[in-house]
Amino acid sequence: MTGIEELLQIPVRNTRTDPRSGAVIMNSMDKPEKLWFLERFPGLSDDEIAQLQMEYIGNIPDEFLDFLRITNGLNVMGRVLKIAGMDRDREKLAGSRVADPIRFVDGHRTRRTPKSWLFFATYTQWEDIGMAHVCMDTAADGDKHPVYCLPYNGDKILKRWDSFGSWLEEEFTRLHNAYREGKYRLVDVVPGVVQMVELHDCVLK
């Protein structure tokens, strides 16, 4: 399995750094530059990791904590995929690039989903159902915690991965290949103001 840092080392076409949050954005997808293929955020310190573990009542798998030490959340393919991170004073950083807070994403569970499932990521597109959430079973035995994709506001398992690492490698590679091969289109949500990325059908699950 590819290491997280190695996986994120993509060829860089252009890049910028947010002076307030320290976010690094690379490989713009439109002009003027609003959508970017990758948005990385400064990783968490050991003290921040300890604080996050205190705030979340439950077990956070080491594999996900290792990811947060490298990048505190991640946005991929113009935010088609958003991986949440620790909330770092969003009011202070208002207007700058920050990842979605874990506690916000985790709050979108249904009453039927087990409390041990940590919701940590969101897709804007999954097959033909639209938005979907990603969670991991933090109560699983051993070092590997299964990861599930669920429909937004639903609890049907759409796909399962053996671990956070296997999910991240498969999905990041899928979206990076779509970016490199141009298998996407930009759609105006608000003409001239807001755009979003739509993947070609061949890229969707």
Side-chain angles (χ1 to χ4, degrees):
M1 184 180 299
T2 305
I4 295 172
E5 189 61 72
E6 181 183 355
L7 180 68
L8 300 182
Q9 292 302 316
I10 63 172
V12 176
R13 183 162 50 84
N14 55 352
T15 184
R16 290 183 183 173
T17 301
D18 187 312
R20 295 180 63 202
S21 69
V24 177
I25 54 179
M26 56 191 73
N27 295 0
S28 61
M29 302 179 69
D30 60 351
K31 289 184 179 298
E33 298 167 337
K34 295 178 182 177
L35 295 174
W36 297 74
F37 172 73
L38 190 64
E39 299 177 50
R40 293 184 58 170
F41 307 92
L44 299 183
S45 66
D46 288 342
D47 288 344
E48 288 175 318
I49 290 289
Q51 180 182 343
L52 178 63
Q53 290 174 305
M54 289 179 62
E55 291 176 354
Y56 179 73
I57 302 175
N59 172 48
I60 302 179
D62 289 341
E63 199 171 18
F64 186 53
L65 293 178
D66 289 342
F67 167 81
L68 294 176
R69 286 186 173 95
I70 294 171
T71 176
N72 182 36
L74 193 73
N75 294 331
V76 186
M77 195 75 178
R79 303 187 182 183
V80 166
L81 170 61
K82 299 188 293 181
I83 305 176
M86 181 181 181
D87 189 355
R88 276 175 164 160
D89 198 347
R90 289 175 66 83
E91 292 184 6
K92 182 179 179 181
L93 294 174
S96 58
R97 290 179 182 266
V98 294
D100 285 346
I102 293 173
R103 60 186 176 186
F104 171 78
V105 174
D106 194 51
H108 284 73
R109 63 175 64 246
T110 69
R111 294 181 178 179
R112 294 183 296 274
T113 52
K115 292 183 179 180
S116 63
W117 289 10
L118 171 63
F119 285 67
F120 67 90
T122 305
Y123 291 101
T124 58
Q125 290 177 265
W126 184 272
E127 296 182 338
D128 59 353
I129 67 170
M131 289 185 65
H133 286 311
V134 187
C135 63
M136 70 180 80
D137 185 358
T138 65
D141 294 331
D143 296 331
K144 302 299 182 183
H145 297 265
V147 169
Y148 309 117
C149 179
L150 310 175
Y152 188 78
N153 287 334
D155 54 7
K156 177 184 177 182
I157 296 177
L158 303 172
K159 186 166 181 178
R160 178 191 185 280
W161 294 263
D162 290 337
S163 66
F164 172 79
S166 61
W167 168 79
L168 180 65
E169 181 172 356
E170 179 178 319
E171 292 303 281
F172 186 85
T173 301
R174 176 174 70 94
L175 294 176
H176 189 215
N177 287 341
Y179 169 75
R180 291 189 302 106
E181 297 166 9
K183 294 180 178 179
Y184 65 91
R185 54 187 168 269
L186 302 180
V187 178
D188 282 330
V189 179
V190 179
V193 180
V194 180
Q195 285 187 317
M196 67 176 290
V197 175
E198 282 191 356
L199 300 175
H200 290 183
D201 290 344
C202 62
V203 181
L204 295 174
K205 293 292 183 182

